[in-house]
Amino acid sequence: MDTMTLWHITGWEFAALAFAALLVGFSKTAVSGANTVSLAVFAAVLPARASTGILLPVLIAGDILAVLTYRRHAHWPTLWRLFPAVGVGVVVGTLFLVWADDGIVRTSIGVILLFMAGVTVWRRRRADAPEQPDEETASRAGRVKARSYGVLGGFTTMVANAGGPVMSMYLLSAGFRKLGFLGTSAFFFLIVNVSKLPFSAGLGLIDGRSLFLDAALVVFVVPGAFLGKWAVNRINQRLFERLVIAATVVGGLQLLLA
């Protein structure tokens, strides 16, 4: 088992993980995609494979808080359209983890994130107005796009808990406004992350020792979520979109340059 416990890390390492956990809470209720920084911190402090298993329960805690905050704003037609493709991506990601080393994983996801950010910026600049979610998901092109992003989101969230930026790019490109974006992504990641638990446990990334460390870190997710809720009411739509795209680009570069 390639897991970690609270007793394997120093005080400074725990402080770094606690900050990353706080940032998870903030990203779940404010700027989705910002938790790519948390991903990088966990991977720097812990063994790369072990970090994905330890981070997952922390993310689920943030997802629960986000659902409680934005549950009325979820767009369920989009979610139902995404889930089958995400399931395929999770299975592919699990198989990928069996043989791929950390370098291949980081490079693959970094390239995907930067590509998605570029496509999103290009599409939004050439469009006269953003599409509405109902129109976007109902069209044939919208269905194809949802399946493509769904597979990529499932793959990246399974191999490195990095599905947030991929799905952020999809929701922005589909024309979601701020609260609809946050509500839809909250339910999406709660369901997807919970479904990943048996896969991660089967790969030996989660066990009783790692969950003990998670129990200490989850405490810091709560103030991060409250900080995000406070901040999101003070961020306008245009700034919100720019922050999401910027967080995605930073996350992609971190993975490529690490």
Side-chain angles (χ1 to χ4, degrees):
M1 292 258 184
D2 187 23
T3 55
M4 294 284 290
T5 72
L6 186 60
W7 316 116
H8 286 126
I9 59 178
T10 67
W12 285 110
E13 288 173 335
F14 181 79
L17 294 177
F19 172 76
L22 185 144
L23 192 56
V24 165
F26 177 83
S27 70
K28 293 294 184 178
T29 56
V31 181
S32 180
N35 62 6
T36 53
V37 177
S38 301
L39 185 157
V41 171
F42 269 71
V45 173
L46 307 171
R49 285 175 61 85
S51 70
T52 63
I54 292 174
L55 181 56
L56 182 56
V58 176
L59 293 173
I60 291 174
D63 293 327
I64 292 172
L65 293 172
V67 165
L68 292 174
T69 304
Y70 300 115
R71 60 188 178 278
R72 298 178 182 176
H73 302 284
H75 189 257
W76 283 98
T78 295
L79 291 170
W80 292 124
R81 197 172 301 282
L82 285 169
F83 284 141
V86 172
V88 173
V90 168
V91 172
V92 173
T94 302
L95 297 175
F96 184 70
L97 277 175
V98 172
W99 67 268
D101 61 29
D102 291 339
I104 294 175
V105 169
R106 286 194 299 268
T107 300
S108 300
I109 296 176
V111 170
I112 290 171
L113 296 185
L114 293 176
F115 175 75
M116 292 300 171
V119 169
T120 300
V121 171
W122 175 73
R123 290 185 79 252
R124 294 184 73 79
R125 284 187 174 180
R126 68 188 293 265
D128 292 330
E131 298 166 301
Q132 294 302 312
D134 287 316
E135 298 171 358
E136 168 70 15
T137 56
S139 67
R140 181 175 180 179
R143 290 193 295 270
V144 171
K145 186 171 74 172
R147 290 166 186 163
S148 300
Y149 274 86
V151 171
L152 286 174
F155 175 81
T156 54
T157 195
M158 186 63 224
V159 301
N161 292 313
V166 174
M167 298 317 301
S168 294
M169 293 301 95
Y170 171 70
L171 294 176
L172 284 185
S173 69
F176 277 81
R177 306 296 291 175
K178 185 169 56 176
L179 292 180
F181 177 109
L182 290 167
T184 303
S185 62
F187 274 99
F188 175 85
F189 281 109
L190 177 60
I191 295 170
V192 170
N193 283 334
V194 169
S195 73
K196 285 161 50 183
L197 286 172
F199 293 94
S200 295
L203 290 168
L205 302 176
I206 296 177
D207 63 10
R209 295 175 298 169
S210 67
L211 289 174
F212 183 72
L213 176 55
D214 284 318
L217 293 174
V218 163
V219 174
F220 298 93
V221 178
V222 178
F226 279 107
L227 180 62
K229 174 60 177 174
W230 173 85
V232 79
N233 293 324
R234 291 159 176 80
I235 301 175
N236 63 39
Q237 180 68 26
R238 183 174 296 275
L239 177 59
F240 176 80
E241 294 174 4
R242 289 175 176 173
L243 289 173
V244 170
I245 293 173
T248 302
V249 172
V250 169
L253 291 174
Q254 283 179 335
L255 292 167
L256 286 176
L257 301 176

